[in-house]
Each structure stands twice: as structure tokens, then as C-alpha cells.
Amino acid sequence: MCGRDYSFAKAGAAYAFRLFYVFWLDIMLNKTFEPAETEKKLYELWESEKAFSADPQSGKKSFTIMIPPPNVTGTLHMGHALTMTLQDTLVRWKRMQGFDTLWQPGTDHAGIATQMVVERALAAENITRQDMGREAFIQRVWKWKEESGGGITRQLRRLGASLDWPRERFTMDEGLSRAVKEVFVTLFNEGLIYRDRRLVNWDPMFRSAISDLEVESKDVAGKLWYVRYPVEGKPGETITVATTRPETMLGDAAVAVHPEDERYAALVGQFVRLPLTGRLIPIVADLHSDPEKGTGAVKITPAHDFNDFEVGRRHNLPMLTILDEQARVILDEIEDELTSVEGLADPAFVKNLAGLSREEARKTIVAELERLEWLEKIEPHRHQVPHAERGGAVIEPRLTTQWYCDAGKLAGPAIEAVTSGKISFVPKQWENTFFAWMRDIQPWCISRQLWWGHRIPAWYGPDGHVFVAHDDADAQKQADAHYGRTEVLSQDEDVLDTWFSSGLWPFSTLGWPDKTPELAHYYPTDVLVTGFDIIFFWVARMIMMGQHFMHDVPFRDIFIHGLVRDERGQKMSKSKGNGIDPLELIDAYGADALRFTICALTGIGRDVKLGRKKVEDYRAFVTKIWNAARFCEMNGVKAQDGFDPQSVTSPLGQWIIAEASTAIQEATKALEVYRFDDYALSCYRFVWNCFCDWFLEFAKPVFASDDTAEAAEIRAVAAYVFGIILRLLQPVMPFVTDELWTSFGFGKQGSLISQAWPEPIVLAGAEAAQAECNHIIRLISEIRTVRAEMNVPPSQKAPVFLQDAAQHTMERAERWQEAIGRMARVSHVALQQGNVPRGSAQAVVGEATLIIPLEGLIDITAEEERLKKELAKADDEIAKTDKKLGNENFVARAKPEIVQEMRDRLAAQQGESIRLKAALARIS
RNA sequence: GGGUGCGUAGCUCAGCGGUAGAGCAUCGCCUUCACACGGCGGGGGUCACAGGUUCAAUCCCUGUCGCACCCA
């Protein structure tokens, strides 16, 4: 327990003692940090104190991030943990910088995904949605949503995400539905939404159209069937077509050959008979046919293949649909033309195909062709087969009437937003990908034959006339005016593509189409943080919709982060079973550790390889901070009101304040350019390698000394710098930092989140302090190295004598006698006088040479070897620098400051060489 | 086939014109009164390869090879 109860003793003689007792035993930090407890307590506190609330009336500048709404069916995976951690880090940082921050939460209704979940649950009860009917089914989905949906929002809280929860939206809630209708009606009236009958990617499993983006090509080992088609009027003559889909020949409308293919030139314009149906189809010349592939002649099935569809259009061919919505054979459109011809299949055979699946039909048809000897040969063949990204069914191109959005028209202003720099991608590289897709954008099929989603606000009259309106009353009014009488209307059965509503997210969540204060204050938002996988699905559409309806970009920056992979670089996936559950990591190591790990590993444009081990390693950093805090606490370090860093006079104090300022600059600069890795690592380095390894070590003798004035100053400085550390790390590790913020008396529990981001300061006269501390650090390091290399046990203290030391060097060494003693295991430091004792180790630091008498403890030969090695290294460097300076071209053409740097370097190297030689002479 | 990104220490990655860096791993020493989730120190790289530009190239340009991803 991190007991925070100040159970003050009653007044009395023992009061002072009790106060002391209470201080040490009741409010000391625990030996270890317990994340679970702190996280729960703090998150609840933040939420109840409305620490995440945005306030459009605040008068402050806004900083806004729209959450990429996770599917309402979703559970938190590593990808979420990554993107949400980055967003939260930015939001928390900007909040500290004094912005009115809005991180807009919400979830997506995710049409197909959610419908699938509920249908699966129904299947367990042996019910289909068709059994239930549309209304009951939708009610059932809503019920599911209320009970089990949105679990992800609870999980986001575990991560520490500072989302403004009371503003949570759902893509199908009332307000957003209103926005969807408004957009649909407007775009329809502008002619940018229309109905069209053309080929779509049809998912026979869901029995719905899907967009190009939802289709995934997969390389599949298939076959190429060579089928002979008899040429009409030329008995015995045939043309052989090669096909990967023999079952679609029922819908063939032509055979195409290349116009310049001499083999077939004479046949163009002739007719062939389809071996199965007896239907006569023409041989046409079309560039689509590739003479190099197969036989150079291809069958054309316009209603079941995208390329063939185009060929069909060019040659005015009939478009015969021979597969139904479940991809079963359907004969309605070809039955009338079945002809009984000698040598061809019997019409009865074809009639028996009705109702067969694609796969069964293929088998049956191939067998029949073989029996009738129309099949020439079969070759193995690898080809690309379109699959539904969700569900995995093989896509069947199908001729249907769907609603389309004229993305081509909307793309222009979206492209302009990026070319003009109103929107910047980070990394910039992604702009090319964006342009490539936007400039070749296809009409967007927005209707889906599902039940769960925004129902298309279109109504049809008895004659099929369409009325698009905000509601049925409005549609009825239009219809009454149109027909001059009251006719019964029926609403379109279809719903809109889920991305249609998420495309409106940046403004629909803010109350659009109403003119709300939120909309005025938070739009355009500042940055969108997301993965590259949804640039087309979502990012592009938000830009198009934002430009069209808000006449402004939806966000200024787009930070595109990589994918989370496992430690071996494999994509995390359910099927591979290599996923890691972020909640489990939070349980094991704490949210702070997970969040810090994510930031530390997020470089620009790189995937994040994340394993347990990494989180475990960075958890050590959380522990390190905790222990540093305990040390400070034990030494009486606590928040001091009115502390003025400019009043600090000790070199140690000035030095660490200057170092802290550098860390603040680095961290701030890194966050400004989305370098989460640099941000995390500069904090890490400052805390661990500067504050803990040096400052606290230097502080130990001060705290232990009798000089209470100096000790008091260093205590105050320690508190001041530790406060900076906590504020610097709050965005990435909000829990442990807040806990410590309170422990040190900086503020009450939960208050760190709203503290000001630290500003770097310039300390007058800090340069001298920095030079002094850096010199002492070098001195100590050098002594440590020599001792370690000579295998001197740390228990063995030895004096250090300075040979040829300048006066100020000597003075410094004396001032830091105590620290050098502790940190380098030195008994005392003194100027070297007289002869160097036998058996001494030596090291060169600046103008001075350190002499460490260790007679009997070191091997003189080894020391000689060591010094020789050092000397060789120094001479090597001299040679390199010498060579450079000897090059006339270098001296003449290189920047003067570089030349000067080289000259300085040479002088230093030569000095070192001379001193090393002297050291060698002394011991040999 | 078109495009993009990447090849730097055993591993994961920074650096991107002026003497090669970090973390982890490894090796040695240390249970020193915040921390062994620790401290101190060491070893380890012709920066994929081949050309070119430059006084100077891991960094810029061209090509080759290898890996990954996207589009067709």
C-alpha cells in the first residue's frame, strides 16, 4: 500500500517524535511500484475530476485529435495500443502546454463485422437473420451493442488514454446518422451520388457488393482449360480458347483475338457455337486478348469478368448473368437460347446445372466437355484470384445496380489539400502513395446488401422513380408532387458502406450539420494518427468529405505509423497465434512500461517490433525512476515553493539544471516532429545516465556533509529537477509520474496532468559549472577504467596523484575530493611530487596525468602493455589527422572551422601522445 | 510487371557529408547504506556490393544483389 493517510498523533510531549515516526514509516514510498493499484485509482480520479474534458469556451487555443474509431466489436490489440499510446502522448503533452485539448472518442458500427458477430451468435441458436426479419434483427444487433459492444472503450481506459469520454460518439447514433443523411442527400442533389448498373465485386458469402479496396488478390494454383469452340459453317474447324473459369462459358458472349494476330485474322467476324448451349457468338478483334497467353484466343463473359465487361461494352455484346447472388448457376437469361445441336451438349444437361455451385458446375462442365471431346488439354496455371478481405470468399464479379459516389470529382480538392501543403503526411513518403491512388480513383460503390448500417435514404415509387430525402415524410412529399397523387413508396433495402459514415467523423462528431461551438473551435483538427493500411479507406475519404462539406481540411498533419510486429518481425495475427495481448502486458508490467516501450520503439516510418522482453526491459526504467524517488525521499528531498533556479550557486546544482534544460529542449523538439523514439530516449538518458548515475551520486557526499547550506541547495535542486523529470515523462508514463508528483508534495493526487510543460532556462554562469562537472566526470571515468582494466578490486582504495596538473585542475580535484573518493574508490587526491612510486597505473586527462600507486596490486608488464596500446591508438589518430591537414586541397577547400577543428584535434592528440610516452618512461 | 521502403556491432535500431552510436545480448569486476528490474568497466562494425560526385561518402548520385510491403 502506498499509504497516504497522515494519521497525525495528538498533540503532546511525543508529538515531534511521532511526526518523525509517521513521516518515516507511514508515508515512505513502497520499496516497489505497484502499477495495478495506482492505475485504477488514478484513472478513476482523472475521470471523476474531468481532467480529460475539452472546453470550447475556455478561450484557449485548441489541440484536437479524432480517435480512429475502433470497431464496436473490437478488442484492444497491439495495433490499438500503439496508435492510442502515441495519440495520448501527444494529447497529454499539448494539454500541459496549455492547449484546450480534445481527444474525441467513439466507435464504428462496422457493418459487416458486427453483422457477422451477431449472425454467428444466432447460428448457435439455429436462427438466421432472414428467419427473424430485418427489424427484429437490427434490434438484436442494438441489444448486442448495448450489452457486449464497446468493450474496447474500457480497455482504452486501462491504457491510460485521456479521451474526453462524455463526448463519446457512435457512427450510428442519432447525430451521426443525421450527418450521414445530410451528406447523402446533398451529394445526390449535386449529382455526385447516383445509381448505376455495372459490374461490382460481389461477395457471395455475404451476398453483398463490396468496394475495390475490400478485395484482396491472392496467388492461387489453378488450371488453364483449353476448350475448342466449333466455327459455324465450317465443319471440322474450331478455335481453341484457354480459360481459368470454364463454368462461366454459359455466359460467353464472344471469343476475342488480338487484331494483329495473323493466326486468327481470317476468323474475325465469323461465329462459333458454344459447345454447351449451342448459342452462336461472334469472334471479335480486341486488344484485350494477349497473343502470348494461352492460345491467343479468349472467351468473353461480360457479366462475370471486369476485363470482359469492357470488351463487351466495346463490341456491344449481351451481358448474360449466369450466377446468382450466392454464385450458383442460374439459367434465367440463357434458357431461351438453348439449342440442341449435333455433337454439342444436350439442353437437358445445361438445365440440370441450375442451382449448382460455381465449383460443382465447373467439375460437371469440364467432365461433359471432355466426354464430348471439346476439351483439348488442361495445364497447371498460377493466377491471381480476388478474395474478400473479410470472410475470405472468392469474389464473383456481378452485374447489379448499386449506388455510387463520384469519387473522381471529390478527389480534386483532396489532392489539392496535400499538394498545397494544407495537409502534410509524416513521413512525407506517403504523399506519393496517396496521389497515386487519388489520381486514378474509381467510382466508389457505397451500397451494401446488409441490414446493419445506415439505410440508404432513397425511396422508390411504383414505377421505380427514386426520391432521395432526409426521411420518409419528405420523400412522400416529393413523390406526391411528382406523381400529382399519393403513391406508396418503398425505401431502398440497402445500407451504406461503413466508411461512408467514418469519412464524416472529423466533423460529424462535432455536431455537424449544426453550427456548434465545438465545430467552430475544434475543426480543422490538428493531427490524425493512423496506420498506412487505411489511407485509402478512411484518410482519403475524410479529406474528400471535409473539403466538400466543411470547405476545409479535416486535419493538418497525418502521422502514419508502422505496424506492430512480433520480435522476429512477423505480422501479429490471430491465425499465426503470435499476437500479444496488451492488457496482459499491462497486468504484468504496468501501463507506463508498455506505453514507454511503444514510444521508444516508434521511429519515423518504421514498423514496431515488440516482444514481451522489450516491455520487461523498459519496465526497469519505471523502477529506476521509482528508486531514484525513494533515494531522494530518504534524503529529505521535497517540493519547495518559490524555488528560483537562478539563485543556485553550486556547480553541481547549476550543472544539473543546465543538463535538465537540454533534456527539455530535446524532448520538446522530438515531440514537435513526432519523433516519439527520440522523446522517450532523451528522457531515458537524462534520467538514468545523467540524473541518477552522476547527479545523485555526486549529491550523496553533499547530503552526508555538515555543510547544511549546500545540502539544502542540492535538496532543492534535486526536487526541482525531479519535478521537471516527472513533467517531461507525464505524457508517456502518466501513472507513476503522478504518483510521485504527489508523494513529493508538488501537488495533490491527479494534478500532474494539468501542470505546465517545463521550459528550458538559461542559467547565468552555468558554462563554468558545466566545464567543471564534465571534467570531474572524465576524471572519475578515467580512474575507473584504469582500475578495472588492471583488475584492482573496488575494495582496494588507492590515492591518485596528479602530474603536471594546472592549478585550476588541482583546485577542482580538491573540491570534489569526497565524490571522487566515493565514486572512483580513491583514498585521497594530491599533486604529484617527487618520484613516481613503483608499480603505479597512469592515465592522461587533459593536461594532467593521473598516477595511481598500486604496488603489488598490478602487473607492471600489463600496465606497460596497456599504455603502449593507448599510445599506439593516439599515434594512429595523429597520423589520420596529420594526413588530412597535409592535404592542400583540404586546407584550401574545407570550411575554415573544420580545418581549425582538425588543428585543435591534432594538438590534443599530440599532447596525449607526449604524456603517454612520459608515463611509459616513468615505469620502465 | 509498376511503385515504395529497408540492408550500420550477435539482435533491435539511431545517425545521414567532416575521428562509427544507443539499448539488449556477451565478457570481467562488484551484494558500496535508492535500485541486481542494480553499479563499474571491457570486447565487438572494411556502415550489403560495385562504380561515380567531392578536399572529404555510412551519409549524395548511378547500377547490382538481398529482404519487406503496396498496386496490377
Side-chain angles (χ1 to χ4, degrees):
Chain A
M1 256 306 279
C2 310
R4 292 278 145 223
D5 294 339
Y6 290 72
S7 43
F8 289 108
K10 285 173 193 156
Y15 180 71
F17 170 76
R18 288 298 296 273
L19 195 60
F20 177 84
Y21 177 87
V22 163
F23 180 80
W24 286 106
L25 292 186
D26 276 5
I27 62 168
M28 279 268 291
L29 289 168
N30 272 348
K31 190 135 198 253
T32 52
F33 172 55
E34 302 291 344
E37 218 177 292
T38 303
E39 287 168 12
K40 187 168 186 303
K41 172 188 70 183
L42 265 176
Y43 200 92
E44 283 169 6
L45 185 64
W46 286 326
E47 249 194 295
S48 69
E49 293 190 342
K50 301 187 167 44
F52 311 148
S53 292
D55 176 11
Q57 318 297 350
S58 65
K60 294 194 245 174
K61 232 183 133 207
S62 69
F63 178 83
T64 310
I65 295 182
M66 291 286 162
I67 198 174
N71 287 357
V72 68
T73 53
T75 49
L76 193 81
H77 55 61
M78 263 314 163
H80 292 124
L82 168 72
T83 196
M84 300 308 177
T85 295
L86 302 184
Q87 292 173 46
D88 195 38
T89 300
L90 290 174
V91 165
R92 285 174 177 272
W93 166 56
K94 285 290 177 179
R95 192 180 285 124
M96 291 180 87
Q97 283 193 327
F99 288 82
D100 169 34
T101 52
L102 169 61
W103 188 15
Q104 172 67 51
T107 50
D108 193 291
H109 67 280
I112 293 180
T114 311
Q115 183 161 321
M116 264 170 79
V117 168
V118 176
E119 279 192 275
R120 213 176 295 137
L122 287 176
E125 302 165 34
N126 264 322
I127 311 173
T128 66
R129 69 180 155 107
Q130 287 81 3
D131 296 339
M132 291 181 88
R134 184 168 188 143
E135 203 141 315
F137 178 75
I138 289 174
Q139 266 176 24
R140 178 71 182 245
V141 182
W142 276 109
K143 190 168 155 244
W144 177 90
K145 193 242 165 195
E146 299 314 326
E147 286 166 3
S148 341
I152 196 159
T153 61
R154 284 188 294 278
Q155 297 171 325
L156 284 170
R157 287 173 164 91
R158 289 290 317 279
L159 194 63
S162 61
L163 289 146
D164 190 354
W165 291 113
R167 294 182 187 273
E168 182 177 351
R169 305 306 299 264
F170 178 53
T171 48
M172 271 187 34
D173 69 24
E174 216 187 309
L176 270 63
S177 299
R178 204 156 63 88
V180 166
K181 282 191 198 118
E182 180 67 27
V183 164
F184 189 94
V185 172
T186 307
L187 289 176
F188 176 81
N189 290 333
E190 291 170 345
L192 294 172
I193 281 182
Y194 55 90
R195 292 177 91 207
D196 195 10
R197 184 171 164 81
R198 44 187 289 165
L199 271 195
V200 288
N201 294 297
W202 184 268
D203 183 333
M205 197 159 93
F206 292 118
R207 299 182 222 172
S208 173
I210 60 176
S211 80
D212 303 355
L213 289 172
E214 292 163 292
V215 177
E216 197 181 20
S217 278
K218 281 190 194 165
D219 198 41
V220 169
K223 289 189 178 115
L224 202 54
W225 284 271
Y226 288 76
V227 184
R228 282 191 286 263
Y229 285 14
V231 179
E232 179 66 2
K234 303 208 173 150
E237 198 172 334
T238 61
I239 182 167
T240 304
V241 300
T243 178
T244 56
R245 300 204 58 194
E247 70 278 12
T248 63
M249 68 185 286
L250 295 173
D252 281 3
V255 169
V257 296
H258 195 274
E260 279 155 37
D261 194 334
E262 288 171 12
R263 293 173 293 177
Y264 301 115
L267 287 172
V268 173
Q270 313 251 2
F271 286 79
V272 294
R273 248 180 220 285
L274 272 175
L276 290 184
T277 68
R279 193 166 71 237
L280 275 178
I281 58 172
I283 299 173
V284 300
D286 195 281
L287 291 167
H288 163 61
S289 171
D290 180 354
E292 307 288 316
K293 267 196 188 148
T295 60
V298 288
K299 63 193 226 39
I300 300 298
T301 322
H304 292 282
D305 180 283
F306 285 95
N307 287 316
D308 292 5
F309 180 78
E310 294 304 323
V311 177
R313 273 203 170 161
R314 286 197 282 271
H315 298 274
N316 247 324
L317 301 173
M319 315 231 167
L320 303 167
T321 295
I322 53 104
L323 292 170
D324 69 4
E325 55 173 30
Q326 293 184 73
R328 294 175 308 202
V329 174
I330 185 173
L331 302 174
D332 302 13
E333 296 183 14
I334 61 165
E335 227 160 11
D336 294 347
E337 297 186 44
L338 289 181
T339 317
S340 184
V341 177
E342 177 70 25
L344 304 189
D346 191 274
F349 166 79
V350 176
K351 281 181 180 156
N352 280 332
L353 293 172
L356 292 187
S357 72
R358 287 176 289 190
E359 296 76 16
E360 291 165 335
R362 175 179 297 181
K363 243 187 267 169
T364 314
I365 284 171
V366 168
E368 181 69 0
L369 289 172
E370 194 164 20
R371 190 182 71 79
L372 296 169
E373 296 182 352
W374 293 113
L375 188 66
E376 190 175 297
K377 59 174 176 175
I378 307 174
E379 278 178 357
H381 180 67
R382 291 203 74 85
H383 60 134
Q384 299 291 319
V385 178
H387 287 73
E389 196 175 52
R390 198 176 282 281
V394 173
I395 293 303
E396 191 59 57
R398 201 158 178 266
L399 196 57
T400 57
T401 299
Q402 303 283 346
W403 287 94
Y404 288 90
C405 177
D406 187 347
K409 287 254 170 59
L410 296 173
I415 293 171
E416 194 273 333
V418 178
T419 48
S420 68
K422 272 184 266 176
I423 296 182
S424 307
F425 277 83
V426 180
K428 210 164 182 57
Q429 205 43 60
W430 289 108
E431 290 180 3
N432 290 331
T433 311
F434 173 79
F435 290 140
W437 187 69
M438 291 298 272
R439 286 178 178 145
D440 184 37
I441 198 165
Q442 298 301 307
W444 172 18
C445 176
I446 53 173
S447 45
R448 295 289 181 276
Q449 286 66 52
L450 302 174
W451 286 354
W452 176 242
H454 296 281
R455 193 154 173 189
I456 290 175
W459 284 261
Y460 302 99
D463 59 352
H465 193 279
V466 62
F467 303 96
V468 168
H470 289 86
D471 51 46
D472 47 5
D474 190 15
Q476 194 66 56
K477 229 162 75 189
Q478 287 183 36
D480 291 352
H482 174 79
Y483 293 116
R485 60 184 181 276
T486 297
E487 294 282 3
V488 176
L489 300 182
S490 58
Q491 189 176 356
D492 196 308
E493 293 289 323
D494 293 348
V495 301
L496 287 164
D497 180 7
T498 300
W499 299 102
F500 191 87
S501 52
S502 29
L504 315 179
W505 189 250
F507 50 92
S508 64
T509 48
L510 298 174
W512 189 90
D514 292 340
K515 290 193 167 71
T516 60
E518 281 80 3
L519 199 60
H521 192 53
Y522 300 115
Y523 193 96
T525 70
D526 291 85
V527 54
L528 177 76
V529 178
T530 191
F532 55 81
D533 46 334
I534 51 175
I535 289 180
F536 306 140
F537 275 116
W538 191 46
V539 180
R541 283 156 184 175
M542 281 192 286
I543 300 175
M544 291 193 277
M545 293 298 196
Q547 288 283 69
H548 195 77
F549 287 95
M550 297 296 297
H551 312 291
D552 201 351
V553 297
F555 25 71
R556 311 209 183 273
D557 286 352
I558 305 171
F559 179 71
I560 301 287
H561 54 66
L563 242 53
V564 186
R565 298 171 176 276
D566 68 11
E567 51 265 87
R568 288 195 314 248
Q570 299 281 310
K571 226 173 178 173
M572 284 190 185
S573 72
K574 263 187 216 157
S575 53
K576 277 189 209 142
N578 61 344
I580 313 175
D581 179 3
L583 295 174
E584 194 220 317
L585 289 179
I586 291 173
D587 288 340
Y589 306 109
D592 292 324
L594 175 62
R595 293 168 58 110
F596 190 86
T597 307
I598 286 169
C599 278
L601 298 178
T602 299
I604 294 280
R606 251 201 205 267
D607 286 344
V608 175
K609 284 181 201 162
L610 199 146
R612 271 192 102 72
K613 178 73 168 55
K614 294 261 177 66
V615 184
E616 195 181 328
D617 287 345
Y618 280 116
R619 190 259 312 257
F621 181 50
V622 179
T623 309
K624 185 74 180 178
I625 295 169
W626 187 259
N627 281 315
R630 286 177 58 225
F631 172 79
C632 287
E633 186 184 52
M634 283 172 194
N635 284 283
V637 173
K638 49 182 178 288
Q640 297 200 359
D641 289 338
F643 172 76
D644 177 12
Q646 298 291 355
S647 71
V648 173
T649 55
S650 63
L652 178 59
Q654 290 189 331
W655 167 74
I656 194 66
I657 290 169
E659 292 289 328
S661 279
T662 306
I664 294 168
Q665 280 172 325
E666 284 176 5
T668 310
K669 204 173 164 219
L671 283 173
E672 277 164 0
V673 294
Y674 307 105
R675 288 301 304 253
F676 296 94
D677 52 347
D678 283 349
Y679 158 61
L681 295 175
S682 20
C683 292
Y684 182 97
R685 270 196 280 267
F686 175 66
V687 171
W688 203 310
N689 304 122
C690 193
F691 186 75
C692 291
D693 286 350
W694 293 105
F695 173 75
L696 291 183
E697 293 303 324
F698 283 142
K700 281 176 184 176
V702 181
F703 289 154
S705 76
D706 299 329
D707 186 343
T708 48
E710 192 189 2
E713 179 175 289
I714 296 303
R715 277 193 188 95
V717 170
Y720 170 75
V721 172
F722 197 62
I724 289 174
I725 289 171
L726 295 178
R727 284 182 290 152
L728 279 182
L729 284 166
Q730 189 278 141
V732 61
M733 28 176 83
F735 295 107
V736 72
T737 50
D738 187 280
E739 185 72 27
L740 293 172
W741 184 257
T742 306
S743 315
F744 276 77
F746 289 114
K748 67 180 174 56
Q749 193 90 77
S751 64
L752 174 59
I753 188 172
S754 52
Q755 294 301 308
W757 183 250
E759 295 284 343
I761 58 165
V762 179
L763 271 192
E767 295 83 1
Q770 283 173 285
E772 176 155 337
C773 289
N774 290 334
H775 178 259
I776 297 302
I777 287 170
R778 270 186 60 207
L779 194 75
I780 292 171
S781 301
E782 207 52 56
I783 299 169
R784 282 169 168 173
T785 303
V786 173
R787 291 179 52 114
E789 284 192 356
M790 286 292 101
N791 282 317
V792 182
S795 55
Q796 191 73 44
K797 290 204 169 193
V800 166
F801 300 109
L802 296 178
Q803 171 96 40
D804 308 327
Q807 195 188 338
H808 73 276
T809 304
M810 218 35 242
E811 284 164 7
R812 277 176 180 167
E814 273 158 18
R815 262 203 298 280
W816 294 81
Q817 183 95 237
E818 188 73 26
I820 296 169
R822 274 178 187 248
M823 295 166 74
R825 318 299 299 160
V826 167
S827 58
H828 66 280
V829 187
L831 193 64
Q832 170 64 27
Q833 281 163 330
N835 291 332
V836 169
R838 287 177 48 80
S840 294
Q842 300 174 77
V844 175
V845 176
E847 87 289 357
T849 303
L850 310 179
I851 293 167
I852 312 164
L854 291 163
E855 186 165 18
L857 286 167
I858 60 163
D859 177 347
I860 288 296
T861 328
E863 171 64 3
E864 205 177 330
E865 283 309 306
R866 196 185 64 80
L867 286 173
K868 276 183 181 160
K869 227 173 91 188
E870 293 279 306
L871 180 62
K873 234 197 302 187
D875 286 345
D876 237 35
E877 299 290 328
I878 290 171
K880 268 200 259 177
T881 318
D882 226 12
K883 193 180 160 202
K884 221 167 188 184
L885 283 166
N887 181 344
E888 282 173 31
N889 272 324
F890 169 72
V891 181
R893 300 188 186 216
K895 280 178 270 177
E897 60 267 33
I898 297 293
V899 178
Q900 190 51 47
E901 197 187 310
M902 286 297 159
R903 292 202 169 115
D904 295 347
R905 188 183 295 166
L906 184 64
Q909 287 165 344
Q910 283 169 335
E912 191 174 355
S913 174
I914 289 165
R915 279 166 211 121
L916 284 168
K917 279 180 192 140
L920 267 167
R922 264 176 236 126
I923 60 166
S924 52

